[in-house]
């Protein structure tokens, strides 16, 4: 996208990436007054600062580039205000159904309409036997734009595929006649708290986008299965509501915000809400390039174009869910900030300059168990422990940030070796099966986070969908452990390296000096 701004006898040329376009599309204010303010804010951000020339670069989120302010006393040059895709057209917008209050009219009819529009979705959900089936259920029920936002990765999605494929390169070398008696013991500790399962739903933003029950569904499912729940600071359900639904261990996820006052306020609420651990997401200082979102014209909420309306008609259950309920906000930050202003908020608050000193300050403010989330290097893991983190969270943000970043399961053993046996490690990324969880636990993880699997369940059918997603993984993990010949999670961790071997080396995993093996390539 090329903008040219003429000022006096000179012109400046601004070049920005495609993510500018996509994020501006997401910034869709709710009122005429806010719209006008957003227009002037956008234009101000794009004005040139004399005499510097803006380079082809992005700010922290890939949104609107930040330009140095004009020096005091310097004469102002006339500038031409620019149109923006987020504010183009007349000075008013076509009201959305929520602007017109249509949801208030439709809400009383939900008990009557819900069973009709959800019939097919419930049938599909009941027939699902694995996470791949839940993915297809979610795809059929959801608006295309919403499903692709959930399902996609960065750029060409190489690491999205690689993260899953990495598990298939690991073989399970099982023991026979282990003498196990079911049920097996899947219990463990996460952040020092007892849980019934060694895996949990990762904190993810904006769950009500997928289903009106949103984070509430995930919290109820975690309570049902007796495992930890993770809440995002960009959640669409408040801390107090989650605390009332989930009485077990909870971790609150925080981004690298600029405003320390905001950080202090949020973590104070988290402590009051019974969250016993904090996770700082360190791999979101720039916004990843998610090209499916750009192609779909992703906006929060839908922009009511002909294309989006057509896709909404094709997803009646999701559409009815959306238009017959209250519009959602990002409840953990500020309920007055509507969800459709997410781009502007993220652009103003994400801090790319956040460093280890800031992390150390945060640890002192929190004063409890905390994980650094987004670690893929052993040296970063050791540095995190030095500044006060108690837990290392190995993650690549669901393959949604840096393309061709490593698969987390591949770097897990080196990080375990670096921090030693007594430091807690959580891993997420690419997990689609209970066998994947078993492999992660065997190679050094103390627990495993899952994101897409439970969100597929949420998009497919709300609370029952999330409960089913976690149950599928529980049954698969139990089966994998039984067939491996281990009866507890602790035993799986202790004996893991003898049970899980990389496929390329598996032929030479044992001493084979007999007359047959070596000559035949084994």
């Amino acid at each position: 996208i090329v903008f040219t701004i003429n000022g006096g006898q000179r012109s400046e040329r601004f070049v920005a990436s495609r993510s500018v376009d996509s994020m501006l599309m997401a910034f869709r204010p709710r009122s005429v007054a806010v719209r006008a303010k957003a227009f002037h804010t956008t234009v101000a951000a794009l004005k040139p600062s004399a005499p510097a020339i803006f380079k082809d670069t992005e700010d922290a989120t890939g949104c609107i580039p930040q330009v140095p302010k004009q020096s005091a006393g310097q004469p102002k040059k006339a500038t031409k205000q620019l149109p923006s895709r987020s504010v183009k057209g007349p000075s008013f917008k076509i009201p959305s159904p929520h602007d017109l209050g249509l949801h208030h009219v439709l809400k009383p009819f939900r008990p009557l309409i819900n069973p009709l529009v959800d019939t097919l979705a419930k049938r599909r959900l009941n027939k699902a036997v694995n996470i791949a089936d839940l993915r297809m259920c979610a795809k059929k029920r959801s608006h295309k734009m919403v499903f692709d936002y959930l399902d996609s990765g960065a750029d060409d999605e190489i690491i999205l595929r690689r993260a899953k494929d990495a598990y298939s390169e690991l073989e399970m070398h099982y023991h026979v006649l282990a003498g196990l008696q079911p049920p097996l013991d899947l219990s463990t500790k996460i952040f020092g708290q007892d849980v019934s399962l060694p895996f949990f739903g990762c904190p993810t933003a904006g769950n009500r986008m997928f289903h009106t029950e949103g984070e509430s569904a995930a919290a109820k499912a975690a309570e049902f299965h007796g495992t930890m729940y993770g809440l995002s600071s960009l959640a669409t359900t408040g801390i107090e509501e989650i605390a009332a639904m989930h009485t077990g261990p909870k971790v609150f996820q925080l981004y690298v915000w600029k405003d320390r006052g905001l950080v202090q306020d949020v973590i104070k609420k988290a402590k009051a809400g019974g969250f016993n651990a904090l996770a700082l997401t360190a791999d979101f200082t720039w916004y990843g390039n998610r090209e499916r979102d750009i192609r779909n014209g992703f906006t929060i909420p839908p922009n009511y174009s002909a294309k989006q309306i057509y896709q909404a008609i094709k997803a009646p259950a999701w559409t009815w869910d959306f238009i017959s309920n209250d519009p959602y906000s990002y409840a953990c930050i500020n309920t007055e900030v509507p969800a459709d202003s997410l781009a502007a908020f993220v652009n103003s608050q994400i801090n790319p300059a956040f460093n280890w000193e800031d992390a150390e300050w945060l640890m002192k403010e929190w004063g409890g168990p905390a994980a650094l989330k987004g670690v893929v290097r052993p040296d970063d893991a050791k540095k995190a422990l030095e500044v006060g983190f108690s837990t290392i969270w190995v993650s690549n943000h669901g393959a949604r940030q840096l393309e061709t970043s490593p698969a987390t399961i591949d770097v897990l053993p080196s990080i375990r070796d670096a921090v030693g046996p007594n430091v807690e490690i959580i891993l997420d990324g690419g997990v689609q099966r209970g066998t994947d969880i078993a492999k992660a636990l065997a190679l050094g993880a103390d627990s495993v986070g899952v994101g897409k699997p439970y969100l597929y369940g949420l998009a497919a059918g709300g609370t029952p969908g999330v409960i089913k997603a976690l149950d599928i993984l529980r049954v698969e993990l139990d089966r994998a452990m039984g067939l491996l010949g281990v009866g507890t999670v602790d035993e799986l961790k202790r004996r893991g390296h003898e049970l899980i071997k990389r496929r390329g080396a598996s032929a030479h995993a044992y001493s084979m000096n007999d007359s047959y093996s070596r000559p035949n390539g084994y």
Side-chain angles (χ1 to χ4, degrees), residues 137-197:
C137 292
K139 185 174 183 178
K140 288 180 180 296
R141 185 186 178 276
S142 301
H143 193 292
K144 183 180 188 315
M145 175 186 72
V146 169
F147 175 77
D148 280 352
Y149 171 81
L150 160 59
D151 193 56
S152 64
D155 295 1
D156 298 309
E157 301 187 351
I158 294 170
I159 184 54
L160 183 65
R161 297 186 295 273
R162 190 179 292 167
K164 299 174 185 177
D165 292 343
Y167 288 95
S168 67
E169 294 299 311
L170 298 170
E171 294 180 335
M172 309 184 84
H173 291 233
Y174 56 91
H175 280 286
V176 297
L177 302 179
L180 299 177
Q181 183 68 35
L184 303 183
D185 183 7
L186 303 185
S187 65
T188 189
K189 290 181 181 290
I190 308 179
F191 290 112
Q193 303 293 311
D194 292 324
V195 291
S196 299
L197 295 175

Side-chain angles (χ1 to χ4, degrees), residues 240-497:
E240 297 82 3
E241 296 171 78
I242 295 299
M245 297 172 191
H246 189 280
T247 57
K250 296 180 285 291
V251 57
F252 185 78
Q253 176 271 334
L254 189 69
Y255 291 102
V256 286
W257 301 131
K258 289 178 181 176
D259 187 345
R260 286 192 171 186
L262 171 66
V263 170
Q264 290 172 321
D265 181 58
V266 169
I267 62 176
K268 182 179 179 181
K269 290 180 181 178
K271 286 180 179 179
F275 284 78
N276 61 291
L278 182 74
L280 174 66
T281 294
D283 56 1
F284 193 71
T285 51
W286 262 257
Y287 195 86
N289 179 37
R290 298 149 196 186
E291 294 181 355
R292 284 201 233 177
D293 292 348
I294 299 170
R295 293 189 186 99
N296 288 332
F298 177 78
T299 60
I300 306 173
N303 60 17
Y304 305 102
S305 65
K307 177 180 179 180
Q308 303 295 13
I309 291 172
Y310 171 68
Q311 294 295 339
I313 292 171
K314 291 171 64 178
W318 180 91
T319 301
W320 169 254
D321 204 29
F322 176 73
I323 66 174
S324 63
N325 281 289
D326 296 335
Y328 51 85
S329 62
Y330 289 90
C332 295
I333 304 298
N334 185 349
T335 56
E336 301 303 317
V337 177
D340 56 7
S341 295
L342 171 63
F345 177 80
V346 170
N347 192 32
S348 66
Q349 282 298 333
I350 289 292
N351 182 15
F354 198 99
N355 57 29
W356 290 108
E357 288 74 19
D358 296 312
E360 189 171 13
W361 169 85
L362 177 63
M363 291 301 93
K364 293 176 181 177
E365 289 291 318
W366 173 251
L372 184 63
K373 184 176 183 292
V375 176
V376 296
R377 294 176 58 94
D379 51 355
D380 281 345
K382 291 192 288 186
K383 181 68 173 178
L385 298 177
E386 292 173 7
V387 301
F389 289 95
S390 60
T391 301
I392 305 302
W393 194 322
V394 182
S395 173
N396 62 12
H397 211 94
R400 296 164 67 79
Q401 287 295 98
L402 180 62
E403 179 64 300
T404 67
S405 57
T408 52
I409 191 66
D410 286 342
V411 299
L412 173 62
S414 64
I415 292 175
R416 170 54 74 194
D417 289 343
V419 301
N422 299 321
V423 173
E424 182 178 34
I425 295 180
I426 298 172
L427 175 136
D428 70 44
V431 174
Q432 299 289 300
R433 287 279 190 179
T435 50
D436 299 339
I437 296 172
K439 291 172 182 178
L441 295 172
L443 293 181
D446 292 293
S447 61
V448 176
V450 296
K452 285 183 171 66
Y454 89 85
L455 290 178
Y456 290 143
L458 174 62
T463 302
V466 184
I467 290 176
K468 183 158 191 174
L470 298 184
D471 197 54
I472 287 170
L473 295 173
R474 178 192 63 81
V475 171
E476 290 180 348
L477 174 61
D478 182 87
R479 183 187 302 117
M481 288 174 56
L483 290 172
L484 275 170
V486 294
T488 68
V489 172
D490 286 341
E491 185 182 2
L492 176 59
K493 294 176 185 177
R494 187 175 64 253
R495 298 174 54 197
H497 286 287

